[in-house]
DNA sequence: TTTATACTGAACCACATGGTTCAGTATAAT
DNA sequence: ATTATACTGAACCATGTGGTTCAGTATAAA
């Protein structure tokens, strides 16, 4: 979905390093936006699994599961290896570091924003005290 | 998208509290999976804005922007208030705490999983030393 | 009172998504 | 050599998504 090109030299979020690509975030947040896929990650956190294993666990056709694994694989959350006729799925190298960093950054920004609002409210209160009810 | 009901009493992720609803995560990760929407959050972190402001900044119709704001609003990332004929958008109450917690939890799980693998490799190395090349 | 502004909702569009079935291919087991 | 297993790919389907236009409504400005 990429787009968002607001003709600013600045990046997609305050503090963004060049490594933060919008497309990457689009894809990894989208990958996480499905409960089945989050479940697959959980499962692979416990033990490696074949497509068949996963398809059974999540009550889905092999083809359907293969697609989910493909999506997770494309964003690096899962890696697979074909051994004989079975494809082994394991957790991939992505620890979601940048996504976690983005979230942390957002929460910081959120705090800053609301501290600022608090200050304004504070000032209004002071003003009111000195103005009105003397 | 809800679904994922693998007939287990356990929740959607190890350590999930009842507060973690799959639907909620589906929606908030999906909301974050669009670069424009992440940009809107950034913008509102700097200052409140009207639909018109945002639509201009992101070169989009009012209707289009309204939809994005609606999506962010539904997951609590944005709140809006209509003042006269303009709708003011601000950051909402969601600081993405649970989403951040999920990510942190995943990374922990990931670490545990790979520590375990390291141990296996370690054992194999020891075994090989005592077995083969004596 | 007229006119401009700011939004809103319905309807449409192309394309993505999450799933399926069906027809294969490759590998393992008998 | 035959049969069963495990996947794979193409094609289809219903629904969702990100965007648009068009036709309003409500409010503010002149």
């Amino acid at each position: 979905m990429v787009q968002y090109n607001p003709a600013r030299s600045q990046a997609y979020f305050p503090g963004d390093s060049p490594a933060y690509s919008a497309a990457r975030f689009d894809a990894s947040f989208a990958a996480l936006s499905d409960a089945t896929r989050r479940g697959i990650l959980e499962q692979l956190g416990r033990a490696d699994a074949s497509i068949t294993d996963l398809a059974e666990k999540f009550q889905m056709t092999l083809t359907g599961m293969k697609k989910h694994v493909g999506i997770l694989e494309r964003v690096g959350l899962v890696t697979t290896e074909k051994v004989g006729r079975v494809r082994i799925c394991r957790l991939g190298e992505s620890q979601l570091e940048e996504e976690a960093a983005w979230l942390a950054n957002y929460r910081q920004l959120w705090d800053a924003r609301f501290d600022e609002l608090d200050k304004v409210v504070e000032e209004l209160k002071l003003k009111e005290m000195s103005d009105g009810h003397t």
Side-chain angles (χ1 to χ4, degrees), chain A:
Chain A
M1 233 91 293
V2 186
Q3 61 214 141
Y4 171 43
N5 182 16
R8 300 197 294 103
S9 58
Q10 237 152 333
Y12 296 94
F13 209 84
D16 271 11
S17 81
Y20 287 39
S21 113
R24 185 200 151 86
F25 275 16
D26 283 9
S28 52
F29 281 130
L32 293 176
S33 75
D34 183 283
T36 299
R37 286 193 291 266
R38 291 193 304 274
I40 292 168
L41 291 178
E42 168 196 6
Q43 202 53 45
L44 297 182
R46 300 178 188 283
D48 298 348
S50 68
I51 302 284
T52 299
D53 293 340
L54 294 172
E56 265 166 25
K57 178 87 61 179
F58 294 91
Q59 303 188 81
M60 186 177 301
T61 58
L62 289 179
T63 311
M65 182 49 68
K66 177 90 187 314
K67 282 192 184 179
H68 278 305
V69 169
I71 288 168
L72 290 169
E73 207 171 358
R74 268 202 301 276
V75 298
L77 283 164
V78 161
T79 51
T80 72
E81 180 198 358
K82 189 118 188 203
V83 175
R85 64 189 168 181
V86 11
R87 178 170 298 279
I88 300 175
C89 310
R90 6 179 106 82
L91 289 187
E93 77 280 357
S94 168
Q95 295 175 67
L96 295 168
E97 302 113 315
E98 302 190 353
E99 291 76 9
W102 190 94
L103 282 195
N105 193 42
Y106 174 75
R107 299 180 66 188
Q108 231 175 289
L109 170 144
W110 193 95
D111 282 341
R113 182 86 186 113
F114 280 77
D115 284 356
E116 194 186 305
L117 287 186
D118 282 351
K119 237 184 294 178
V120 172
V121 170
E122 198 78 5
E123 275 165 31
L124 283 178
K125 266 197 282 188
L126 286 171
K127 190 143 178 273
E128 193 175 326
M129 277 206 293
S130 61
D131 275 13
H133 325 282
T134 28

